[in-house]
């Protein structure tokens, strides 16, 4: 039997450790001073602690505490010792304990209850004796008139003398002034209450008018939940007294639907300038930026145009808040897709996504504060960024439509079939945008290459016309393709007309598919170098055929024969005593032509080489060369 590993034998106690690895007690840390000194709780002696607690019991509860608590048990009577013996046997510590025995609060209260009534009785007797003594002393002097009333021990009524006239007038003025102040305060109180009632009435009317305006604008009004602490039992009033405004999209995730909640300001709110409140609003906007590397090595950055939809009205405030929530949902979906892009690399942070969308093109998605909308400059904007920004909204609605179809299908079919059917992911948002940027960069490179060839033909005097159609579909078809669940690529077409008689046709498809439609075949072009080679071969073959036509026309009297040698890439003309051939060459964007002649002795001699930029065009030079060979 295999032995269990060491980590399975490890046992941990649930008790708090009180000793370290060396067996020393672990002190309890109370505080750490600013200079790093540790202060620990001092250790207590158990014997001293028990003695202190027992002493407190005798001091607070009395000496007979244990006798009173143990009534069911009989204790032997204490031993009576003689006073002299007791004094002799007592130690100094016992004498000190007896002398320091203090009176308890209960004993003090009992003493006060028993002494105070007697003190009050004694106080009354002394007062009565004092009054009687004063009366006897006054009757022993018959010469002095008595100032005592006829009944000295009876009660006497003394009236306050009335004040003088000036004092009475002053008192009357004080009374009138006090009453006037009270009346004014009461009037102000009633006036303030009336104003508050009027303001409350106006606030209530404004509240319901705002609610009707919001409902007329087709915004969702839902009853607000009951406030905290409301009665929810049987028979309680559970009617909502407030509205909540839901402005989120129907198929949005629950986190964004909870964030897209607003409420109307209560009727007793002091701030009447903002009738709507958005407790979960983050006030961020989505900005699309493109950074391109120019041929001179500098970088050019442009942004999408951000508009402030909040114009101060209820509808404007709701639209501004809704746009912010929708853009936050778009940014969340972009973060999820950025990590799995097959044709672009991405850098993702909390509020920024950087993508290498195409060659020399960097795409940024950034959440910026709403305050930066007003600081945006018009020269930094570009229509392509606006197209990307608006396309993301259309693609988000397409994903929501697909989710809604799946949800409705799950409710219409049985549960077993719904469980068996796999859940299809919603259409992507970021991949169509990347394909569009890559298609634009690809189309630009194809166009540059064809323009280079066309410029060479025109420099040689050969007629060349080109027609570009990057997006063959109409705007309505393009928007419908974005809204469709099945992703369809964007296609275009290029038509190149050479010498007003030969046509080359190319078709493109996003992101980087180029197809050449030739008379003899249809070829898929995978690189720009392959496109350059194909254009050179096709243009050379068509120019060589045109040279044959010119040569046959010029050598008609000498019965000359002209043909195109495709293997060697030349046009050959033969007549009696002479063989003349032409070769077409490409030097960058320039088209050159060389002519050579074989004499009767079989030796080949270079006659002339054509270079563009002279006084003669290519076909004029060919005619001149043929005429020179014919001896004209």
């Amino acid at each position: 039997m295999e032995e269990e590993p060491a980590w399975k034998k490890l046992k941990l106690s649930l008790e708090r450790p009180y000793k370290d690895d060396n067996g020393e007690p672990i002190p309890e840390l109370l505080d750490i001073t600013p200079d790093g000194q540790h202060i620990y709780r001092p250790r207590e002696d158990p014997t001293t602690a028990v003695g202190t607690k027992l002493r407190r019991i005798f001091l607070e509860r009395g000496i007979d505490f244990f006798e009173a608590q143990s009534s069911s048990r009989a204790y032997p009577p204490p031993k009576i010792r003689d006073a002299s013996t007791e004094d002799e046997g007592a130690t100094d510590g016992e004498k000190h304990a007896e002398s320091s025995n203090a009176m308890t609060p209960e004993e003090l209260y009992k003493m006060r209850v028993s002494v105070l009534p007697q003190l009050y009785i004694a106080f009354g007797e002394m007062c009565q004796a004092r009054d009687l003594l004063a009366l006897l002393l006054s009757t022993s002097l018959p010469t002095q008139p008595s100032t005592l009333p006829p009944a000295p021990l009876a009660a006497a009524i003394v009236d306050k003398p009335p004040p003088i006239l000036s004092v009475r007038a002053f008192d009357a003025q004080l009374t009138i002034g006090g009453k006037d102040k009270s009346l004014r305060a009461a009037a102000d109180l009633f006036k303030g209450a009336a104003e508050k009632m009027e303001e409350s009435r106006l606030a209530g009317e404004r509240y319901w008018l705002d609610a009707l305006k919001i409902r007329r604008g087709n915004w969702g009004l839902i009853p607000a939940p009951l406030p905290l602490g409301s009665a929810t039992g049987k028979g309680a009033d559970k009617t909502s007294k407030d509205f909540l405004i839901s402005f989120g999209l129907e198929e949005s995730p629950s986190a964004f639907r909870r964030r897209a909640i607003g409420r109307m300001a209560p009727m007793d709110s002091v701030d009447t300038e903002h009738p709507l409140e958005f407790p979960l609003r983050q006030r961020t906007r989505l900005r699309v930026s493109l950074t391109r590397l120019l041929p001179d090595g500098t970088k050019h950055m442009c942004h999408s145009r951000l508009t402030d939809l909040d114009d101060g009205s209820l509808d404007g405030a709701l639209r501004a808040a809704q746009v912010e929530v929708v853009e936050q949902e778009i940014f969340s979906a972009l973060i999820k897709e950025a990590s799995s892009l097959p044709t672009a690399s991405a850098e993702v942070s909390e509020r920024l996504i950087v993508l290498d969308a195409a060659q020399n093109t960097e795409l940024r998605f950034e959440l910026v504060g709403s305050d930066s909308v007003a600081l945006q400059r018009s020269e930094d904007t570009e229509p392509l960024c606006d197209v990307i920004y608006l396309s993301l909204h259309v693609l988000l609605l397409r994903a929501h439509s697909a989710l809604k179809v799946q949800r409705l299908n799950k409710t219409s079919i049985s549960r077993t079939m719904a469980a068996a059917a796999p859940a299809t992911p919603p259409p992507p948002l970021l991949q169509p945008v990347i394909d569009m940027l890559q298609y634009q960069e690809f189309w630009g490179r194809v166009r540059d290459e064809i323009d280079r060839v066309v410029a060479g033909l025109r420099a040689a005097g050969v007629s060349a016309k080109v027609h570009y159609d990057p997006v063959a579909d109409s705007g309505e078809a393009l928007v419908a393709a974005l809204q469709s669940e099945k992703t369809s690529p964007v296609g275009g077409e290029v038509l190149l007309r050479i010498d007003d008689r030969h046509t080359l046709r190319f078709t493109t498809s996003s992101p980087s598919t180029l197809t050449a439609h030739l008379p003899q075949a249809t070829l898929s072009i995978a690189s720009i170098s392959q496109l350059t080679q194909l254009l050179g071969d096709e243009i050379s073959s068509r120019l060589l055929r045109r040279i044959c036509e010119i040569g046959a026309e010029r050598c008609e009297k000498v019965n000359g024969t002209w043909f195109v040698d495709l293997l060697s890439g030349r046009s050959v003309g033969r007549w009696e005593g002479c063989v003349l051939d032409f070769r077409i060459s490409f030097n960058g964007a320039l088209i050159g032509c060389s002519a050579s002649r074989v004499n009767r002795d079989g030796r080949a001699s270079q006659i002339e080489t054509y270079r563009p930029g002279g006084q003669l065009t290519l076909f004029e030079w060919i005619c001149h060369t043929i005429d020179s060979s014919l001896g004209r």
Side-chain angles (χ1 to χ4, degrees):
M1 185 175 180
E2 296 182 359
E3 186 179 1
E4 293 184 352
W7 61 271
K8 285 190 176 182
K9 297 180 180 180
L10 181 63
K11 295 182 180 180
L12 299 178
S13 176
L14 299 179
E15 296 181 358
R16 180 179 178 182
Y18 57 91
K19 288 185 179 181
D20 54 8
D21 298 334
N22 299 327
E24 297 294 333
I26 299 176
E28 182 179 357
L29 182 63
L30 295 180
D31 196 3
I32 300 177
T33 59
D35 55 354
Q37 182 180 0
H38 293 70
I39 300 176
Y40 300 94
R41 184 184 296 277
R43 296 184 59 187
E44 295 181 2
D45 189 9
T47 306
T48 307
V50 172
T52 303
K53 293 180 180 179
L54 291 176
R55 190 179 297 108
R56 287 184 59 187
I57 290 174
F58 287 107
L59 291 177
E60 296 176 3
R61 304 296 177 90
I63 302 176
D64 58 344
F65 171 74
F66 292 100
E67 297 178 359
Q69 294 296 327
S70 57
S71 58
S72 61
R73 294 180 293 178
Y75 290 87
K79 296 180 180 181
I80 302 174
R81 295 186 295 177
D82 189 78
S84 59
T85 308
E86 200 171 3
D87 292 338
E88 294 175 357
T91 61
D92 295 338
E94 293 175 354
K95 290 180 182 180
H96 178 70
E98 290 177 1
S99 61
S100 63
N101 189 11
M103 183 180 292
T104 61
E106 291 80 3
E107 294 175 354
L108 181 61
Y109 179 73
K110 292 179 181 180
M111 185 183 70
R112 289 182 61 184
V113 170
S114 60
V115 171
L116 283 179
Q118 298 177 7
L119 291 177
Y120 280 117
I121 293 173
F123 178 71
E125 292 177 352
M126 291 180 65
C127 291
Q128 188 175 5
R130 184 193 59 187
D131 295 338
L132 181 59
L133 183 59
L135 179 62
L136 293 176
L137 291 175
S138 63
T139 54
S140 62
L141 299 174
T143 58
Q144 296 179 356
S146 178
T147 59
L148 295 176
L153 298 180
I157 299 175
V158 179
D159 295 332
K160 183 179 180 181
I164 59 178
L165 293 177
S166 60
V167 176
R168 277 189 284 177
F170 182 73
D171 292 342
Q173 291 177 359
L174 287 178
T175 303
I176 294 173
K179 289 183 178 180
D180 180 67
K181 183 178 180 181
S182 300
L183 292 175
R184 289 181 182 275
D188 293 340
L189 180 63
F190 281 109
K191 183 179 179 181
E195 291 177 354
K196 287 184 178 180
M197 291 176 63
E198 183 65 18
E199 291 177 359
S200 178
R201 183 186 67 82
L202 294 177
E205 291 182 358
R206 191 182 306 110
Y207 181 87
W208 291 108
L209 286 176
D210 292 343
L212 291 176
K213 290 180 182 178
I214 293 172
R215 190 67 190 95
R216 193 182 301 116
N218 203 23
W219 298 100
L221 285 179
I222 56 178
L226 296 176
L228 296 176
S230 301
T232 57
K234 186 177 181 180
D237 185 11
K238 302 179 184 179
T239 306
S240 177
K241 304 298 189 300
D242 200 357
F243 291 113
L244 291 180
I245 308 168
S246 175
F247 50 84
L249 301 181
E250 183 180 3
E251 299 299 329
S252 297
S254 57
F256 294 99
R257 287 203 306 270
R258 286 194 298 266
R259 193 180 301 174
I261 291 293
R263 65 183 182 188
M264 301 179 63
M267 301 181 187
D268 55 351
S269 178
V270 180
D271 188 7
T272 58
E273 296 181 359
H274 302 84
L276 297 180
E277 297 177 356
F278 304 99
L280 300 177
R281 186 174 180 180
Q282 297 184 356
R283 297 190 179 276
T284 57
R285 295 293 303 274
L286 177 64
R287 186 172 66 181
V288 181
S289 304
L290 279 176
T291 304
R292 290 189 177 93
L293 183 63
L294 301 180
D296 56 356
T298 60
K299 290 186 177 181
H300 174 68
M301 178 177 286
C302 54
H303 309 285
S304 60
R305 184 181 294 103
L306 298 179
T307 56
D308 190 6
L309 302 178
D310 192 357
D311 54 357
S313 62
L314 295 174
D315 191 70
L318 288 172
R319 289 187 182 277
Q322 185 186 46
V323 166
E324 291 179 6
V325 174
V326 171
E327 291 177 356
Q328 292 166 14
E329 182 182 355
I330 291 175
F331 188 80
S332 176
L334 294 178
I335 288 179
K336 294 179 181 178
E337 296 183 19
S339 60
S340 59
L341 286 176
T343 59
S345 59
E347 296 180 6
V348 180
S349 61
E350 184 179 1
R351 289 195 173 189
L352 179 64
I353 302 175
V354 182
L355 299 167
D356 293 333
Q359 185 178 4
N360 300 330
T361 303
E362 185 180 81
L363 178 62
R364 287 171 172 259
F365 300 99
E366 185 178 5
L367 285 180
V368 298
S370 301
D371 300 336
S372 61
V373 176
L375 303 177
Q376 180 179 248
R377 296 182 297 176
S378 59
E379 59 267 17
D380 294 340
T381 59
E382 185 175 339
L384 181 58
C385 296
D386 296 336
V387 170
I388 296 174
Y389 172 79
L390 298 175
S391 300
L392 290 174
H393 290 75
V394 178
L395 295 173
L396 178 66
L397 294 178
R398 181 181 71 169
H400 283 186
S401 177
L403 292 175
K404 184 176 182 180
V405 171
Q406 293 181 9
R407 179 170 54 83
L408 295 178
N409 290 337
K410 288 182 180 180
T411 56
S412 60
I413 61 179
S414 61
R415 294 185 178 180
T416 56
M417 295 179 63
T424 59
L429 272 70
L430 187 56
Q431 189 62 46
V433 175
I434 300 298
D435 292 345
M436 180 175 64
L437 291 177
Q438 292 179 351
Y439 179 69
Q440 182 191 20
E441 183 69 23
F442 163 74
W443 182 266
R445 285 183 285 147
V446 171
R447 183 166 184 166
D448 292 342
E449 185 64 27
I450 295 178
D451 287 343
R452 186 180 63 84
V453 174
V454 171
L457 289 173
R458 290 175 179 174
V462 181
S463 175
K465 298 179 182 179
V466 62
H467 172 71
Y468 296 107
D469 190 6
V471 181
D473 297 333
S474 61
E476 293 80 2
L478 185 61
V479 173
L482 289 176
Q483 295 176 350
S484 176
E485 296 183 9
K486 296 182 179 180
T487 304
S488 58
V490 180
E493 186 180 32
V494 181
L495 294 176
L496 177 60
R497 185 78 171 172
I498 304 173
D499 196 21
D500 296 332
R501 59 178 64 193
H502 304 290
T503 302
L504 288 178
R505 178 172 173 265
F506 298 92
T507 57
T508 58
S509 178
S510 63
S512 58
T513 302
L514 179 63
T515 304
H517 299 272
L518 305 177
Q520 63 274 14
T522 301
L523 301 178
S524 296
I525 301 174
S527 62
I528 296 297
S529 60
Q530 186 178 357
L531 174 63
T532 304
Q533 183 67 30
L534 177 65
L535 288 173
D537 294 343
E538 292 297 324
I539 292 175
S540 298
S541 63
R542 282 161 174 74
L543 292 179
L544 291 176
R545 289 176 186 175
R546 176 62 174 159
I547 291 173
C548 288
E549 293 177 0
I550 294 174
E553 182 181 352
R554 292 284 179 175
C555 300
E556 184 178 0
K557 294 182 180 182
V558 294
N559 296 326
T561 303
W562 290 83
F563 62 94
V564 176
D565 188 0
L566 296 177
L567 294 178
S568 59
R570 61 179 181 169
S571 178
V572 181
R574 294 180 180 179
W575 62 87
E576 184 179 356
C578 181
V579 176
L580 183 65
D581 63 70
F582 293 90
R583 295 177 183 271
I584 301 294
S585 62
F586 288 88
N587 185 13
L590 301 178
I591 298 178
C593 183
S594 61
S596 62
R597 186 177 62 183
V598 180
N599 298 325
R600 293 181 178 180
D601 54 1
R603 291 182 301 173
S605 61
Q606 185 75 20
I607 296 180
E608 194 175 353
T609 302
Y610 171 79
R611 299 194 180 278
Q615 296 180 356
L616 299 178
T617 62
L618 175 63
F619 294 144
E620 292 176 351
W621 177 83
I622 290 172
C623 293
H624 176 72
T625 303
I626 294 174
D627 293 342
S628 300
S629 300
L630 291 173
R632 296 179 182 178

